[in-house]
């Protein structure tokens, strides 16, 4: 049986009109897990609660079989790294300076970088293919290049768990594959537990070992993505009629039409 890296137990959370309800999931250790579901279904909220960026109203999060709330903040930051969605200001730093921020959980104020820190920064720059441009300013990079450097910063945190909110959004197809293959390589070589919010179900099936599907703030399914993705799944979770054909074991999704409008969307379209 696969060990569990993260377990959430009956999480409840509300913000505005949105409610996360009774979220109980176990995320396997050392595997790639995708969280999928329609816009606004609570994927980012769940990831933020796991990362302790938000506090659940009820329920518990366990990280490596220990209540997340019992971790001191530095210890937690040495265990779980989270890359939020890339929005907002771009720092005016070189790639190397930005990636060095990943070492913050190991430093007190005014501590200098040690040889060990520099070695880890080199490794993170190298594994993400960013080393050759390490003196370039971050804000001058393309969106795809920036995303790889942001992942390098999270890797420099040297945690066993990496949470990524939509790591491939805004990237062209080639950069999406680059990022997914890089995450797969890192997962295989370092046995990192990687959990990511994804919108592309085919990527989830091609690269991930485990899938968690959310809808209206609830977990509505979890398991092996290749077994889960079916016309019925697309109907139930996304309210779309679609064909699913298999090419070499991998599902190819052909959307046909939306089958009904959930109540929430009728309000949005007024
Ligand atoms: N501060 C807030 N105030 C009010 N509502 C909020 C706030 N933060 C989040 N929400 C609402 O919570 C719901 C869930 O948001 P969340 O970002 O978790 O969804 P998501 O599944 O990640 O969506 P997407 O796929 O669009 O990124 C959304 O309807 C959002 O509008």
């Amino acid at each position: 049986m696969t060990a569990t890296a993260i377990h959430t137990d009956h999480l409840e959370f509300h913000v505005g009109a949105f409610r996360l309800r009774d979220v109980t999931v176990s995320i396997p250790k050392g595997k790639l897990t995708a969280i999928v579901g329609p816009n606004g279904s609570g994927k980012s909220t769940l990831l933020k609660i796991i990362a302790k960026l938000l506090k659940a109203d009820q329920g518990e999060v366990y990280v490596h079989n220990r209540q997340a709330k019992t971790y001191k903040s530095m210890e937690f930051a040495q265990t779980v790294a989270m890359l939020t969605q890339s929005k907002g200001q771009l720092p005016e730093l070189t790639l190397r300076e930005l990636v060095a921020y990943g070492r913050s959980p190991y430093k007190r104020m005014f501590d200098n970088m040690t040889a060990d820190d520099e070695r880890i920064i080199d490794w993170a720059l190298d594994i993400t293919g960013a080393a050759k441009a390490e003196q370039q300013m971050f804000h001058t990079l393309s969106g795809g290049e920036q995303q790889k450097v942001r992942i390098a910063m999270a890797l420099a945190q040297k945690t066993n768990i990496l949470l990524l909110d939509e790591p491939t959004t805004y990237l062209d197809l080639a950069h999406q594959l680059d990022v997914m293959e890089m995450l797969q390589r890192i997962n295989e070589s370092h046995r990192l537990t990687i959990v990511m919010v994804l919108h592309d179900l085919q990527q989830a099936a091609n690269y991930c070992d485990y899938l968690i599907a959310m809808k209206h703030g609830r977990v509505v399914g979890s398991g092996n993505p290749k077994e889960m993705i079916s016309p019925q799944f697309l109907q139930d979770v996304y309210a779309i009629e679609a064909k699913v054909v298999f090419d070499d074991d991998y599902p190819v999704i052909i959307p046909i039409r939306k089958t009904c409008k959930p109540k929430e969307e009728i309000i949005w379209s007024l």
Side-chain angles (χ1 to χ4, degrees), residues 15-18 37-46 85 165-166 197 199:
V15 58
F18 175 75
N39 290 130
S41 54
K43 305 178 295 296
S44 301
T45 302
L46 173 59
Q85 284 182 32
D165 198 348
E166 300 193 20
V197 171
H199 278 295

Side-chain angles (χ1 to χ4, degrees), residues 9-151:
D9 190 32
H10 300 291
L11 291 181
E12 302 275 340
F13 176 79
H14 81 279
V15 58
F18 175 75
R19 293 197 125 59
L20 201 70
R21 294 166 204 265
D22 198 20
V23 172
T24 299
V25 284
S26 292
I27 294 175
K29 193 171 179 177
K31 305 274 183 198
L32 278 162
T33 293
I35 305 178
V36 302
N39 290 130
S41 54
K43 305 178 295 296
S44 301
T45 302
L46 173 59
L47 218 57
K48 284 179 190 162
I49 292 173
I50 292 171
K52 299 216 286 187
L53 300 177
L54 291 173
K55 192 173 179 308
D57 300 329
Q58 282 182 51
E60 290 290 346
V61 176
Y62 295 84
V63 171
H64 295 152
N65 297 318
R66 179 175 152 198
Q67 283 183 331
K69 66 186 177 199
T70 66
Y71 284 75
K72 296 223 163 67
S73 55
M74 293 280 261
E75 187 187 7
F76 194 74
Q78 293 171 11
T79 309
V80 178
M82 171 150 177
L83 197 64
T84 52
Q85 284 182 32
S86 56
K87 289 177 188 160
Q89 284 202 321
L90 301 177
E92 293 211 10
L93 296 170
T94 67
L95 309 196
R96 191 173 184 89
E97 285 166 343
L98 186 70
V99 172
Y101 269 97
R103 300 305 298 153
S104 309
Y106 300 87
K107 309 261 116 199
R108 289 173 206 280
M109 230 191 307
F110 309 120
D111 271 0
N112 289 323
M113 288 286 165
T114 63
D116 210 31
D117 292 321
E118 299 292 353
R119 190 182 51 72
I120 291 165
I121 295 164
D122 284 341
W123 166 79
L125 284 164
D126 209 37
I127 203 164
T128 52
K132 55 186 177 300
E134 64 169 35
Q135 293 309 327
Q136 193 174 337
M137 297 303 285
F138 178 74
H139 68 275
T140 65
L141 297 178
S142 77
E145 292 162 346
Q146 284 177 0
Q147 191 64 323
K148 286 186 195 164
V149 175
R150 294 175 78 243
I151 293 171

